[in-house]
Amino acid sequence: VLAQTYPDWEAIVVDDGSTDCTRELVMSYGDRVRYLWQENAGLSAARNTGIHHASHSYVSFLDADDVFLPHVVSRLMQAFSELPPEFAVVACNRDLIDGQGEVTSQFRRIPRVTGEVKLRDLLIRTRFPTTGLIARRSCFNECGFFDPTLRSSEDRDMWIRIAARYRIWYVSDVLVYVRRHGSQMSKHAERMKENVGLVLHRAHALELVPRWRMLFWCKVFSYYHAQVAWMYHDAGRQWMAIREMMISMALYPFHADHKYLLELPLFRIRALFTFLRRCSIPRGRCP
């Protein structure tokens, strides 16, 4: 953050009730970083606190284990300057890094193009990381803030609500590193299944896309179950992964548009073979 090439910014660290030396570390940076402490209330509440205390018209987010590249703010603010005012969010691409900060070879970057991300895109799947994007601060006053009742997927819920009222632009440049390791919240399969499902059912109930568009909603929930299947796979629960993938295929058998979904061809069939192979070797480890 301190290496940003953009000249006019402030950094706010929200300490969500930590028990380590966060306060002392942040204070060592002097006036360059503002420090805010609050009783532990979760990620959504921490982001909301930062938004409320920000003094600029635009806000960006950086989770504790992720990394800004030096030109992320300059590049996204440049994009804002070239867009009409109905655009409320500009997001960017990312690379994944491991616990040691190395770009992981397990991540297969799928080519994306710079352009608009629409509401329907976000209902089908997450299209960009929350780390690094820049949003107009004023849009939160109209669309609401991050939902503190969600313990995951609160960011996707937020961008869906914003996309229902404003427009979102995506820059394909890799401008941030997002860290992946086994202890992250995103690895908890049951919690992710519950919260993503809640976000999507809420959007369906609000008719952000009319309910009579049944084929579209079948596609949305089909891909949701496919993602849940991979969460269970990562958690080592292969029979649950197989079950969820079969539900996905029953809801929407087609998914020929794999590039739009940022997946490989026949990705669900490939996944089923992976789950079955993992389930049989060794057999006794299957739940």
Side-chain angles (χ1 to χ4, degrees):
V1 172
L2 300 180
Q4 289 304 299
T5 59
Y6 191 79
D8 188 16
W9 53 266
E10 65 173 349
I12 299 174
V13 172
V14 180
D15 183 344
D16 188 41
S18 70
T19 57
D20 55 18
C21 58
T22 295
R23 179 189 295 270
E24 291 76 16
L25 181 61
V26 174
M27 292 301 183
S28 70
Y29 287 95
D31 294 337
R32 303 187 73 186
V33 180
R34 290 173 59 193
Y35 174 81
L36 302 173
W37 185 91
Q38 65 181 28
E39 293 283 354
N40 178 254
L43 182 57
S44 292
R47 287 177 178 156
N48 292 341
T49 296
I51 296 169
H52 286 303
H53 284 84
S55 58
H56 289 262
S57 299
Y58 297 86
V59 293
S60 186
F61 304 96
L62 174 62
D63 289 346
D65 47 3
D66 298 340
V67 180
F68 273 12
L69 297 181
H71 50 290
V72 56
V73 177
S74 294
R75 179 68 183 88
L76 298 187
M77 289 303 294
Q78 176 190 353
F80 255 121
S81 69
E82 298 168 355
L83 292 168
E86 58 264 28
F87 281 89
V89 174
V90 176
C92 66
N93 203 349
R94 90 294 188 243
D95 267 347
L96 295 184
I97 57 175
D98 59 21
Q100 289 69 48
E102 299 294 329
V103 175
T104 173
S105 59
Q106 297 177 357
F107 174 55
R108 172 182 48 82
R109 186 190 300 168
I110 301 171
R112 306 185 189 185
V113 295
T114 295
E116 185 172 358
V117 176
K118 298 186 177 180
L119 171 63
R120 292 190 175 205
D121 303 327
L122 291 170
L123 287 170
I124 289 174
R125 66 160 296 158
T126 301
R127 297 284 164 169
F128 45 78
T130 295
T131 285
L133 65 77
I134 294 180
R136 295 185 190 274
R137 188 178 165 209
S138 59
C139 72
F140 295 98
N141 295 325
E142 182 175 350
C143 301
F145 292 78
F146 290 94
D147 184 352
T149 67
L150 293 171
R151 305 304 290 182
S152 62
S153 303
E154 72 296 320
D155 49 353
R156 186 176 180 184
D157 173 67
M158 185 75 254
W159 315 134
I160 286 173
R161 284 187 279 129
I162 288 179
R165 294 173 178 264
Y166 292 96
R167 299 172 71 183
I168 295 176
W169 189 256
Y170 173 80
V171 175
S172 62
D173 302 354
V174 173
L175 301 174
V176 295
Y177 291 145
V178 175
R179 198 178 308 272
R180 285 288 180 264
H181 48 76
S183 62
Q184 284 182 304
M185 288 189 296
S186 58
K187 291 294 184 182
H188 295 283
E190 292 291 349
R191 181 194 298 174
M192 289 295 293
K193 177 182 179 180
E194 178 183 355
N195 284 278
V196 175
L198 181 61
V199 169
L200 295 178
H201 281 97
R202 180 185 294 171
H204 180 262
L206 292 173
E207 295 197 72
L208 298 184
V209 171
R211 294 186 193 180
W212 60 267
R213 299 281 188 183
M214 294 179 62
L215 194 61
F216 170 78
W217 284 111
C218 283
K219 186 175 184 178
V220 167
F221 286 102
S222 170
Y223 193 68
Y224 157 67
H225 284 283
Q227 289 180 306
V228 169
W230 273 106
M231 295 176 199
Y232 280 123
H233 168 72
D234 290 341
R237 302 175 63 183
Q238 302 309 315
W239 287 114
M240 289 297 294
I242 293 168
R243 175 183 179 274
E244 292 292 332
M245 194 61 76
M246 294 299 292
I247 293 173
S248 170
M249 298 174 80
L251 277 172
Y252 193 85
F254 315 108
H255 281 315
D257 51 350
H258 60 91
K259 291 184 179 179
Y260 172 69
L261 294 170
L262 308 179
E263 297 285 358
L264 291 170
L266 303 175
F267 68 97
R268 292 183 298 181
I269 295 176
R270 290 168 180 259
L272 270 178
F273 278 116
T274 299
F275 302 160
L276 289 167
R277 187 166 56 247
R278 179 75 174 272
C279 213
S280 60
I281 308 175
R283 193 178 187 88
R285 293 179 60 185
C286 218

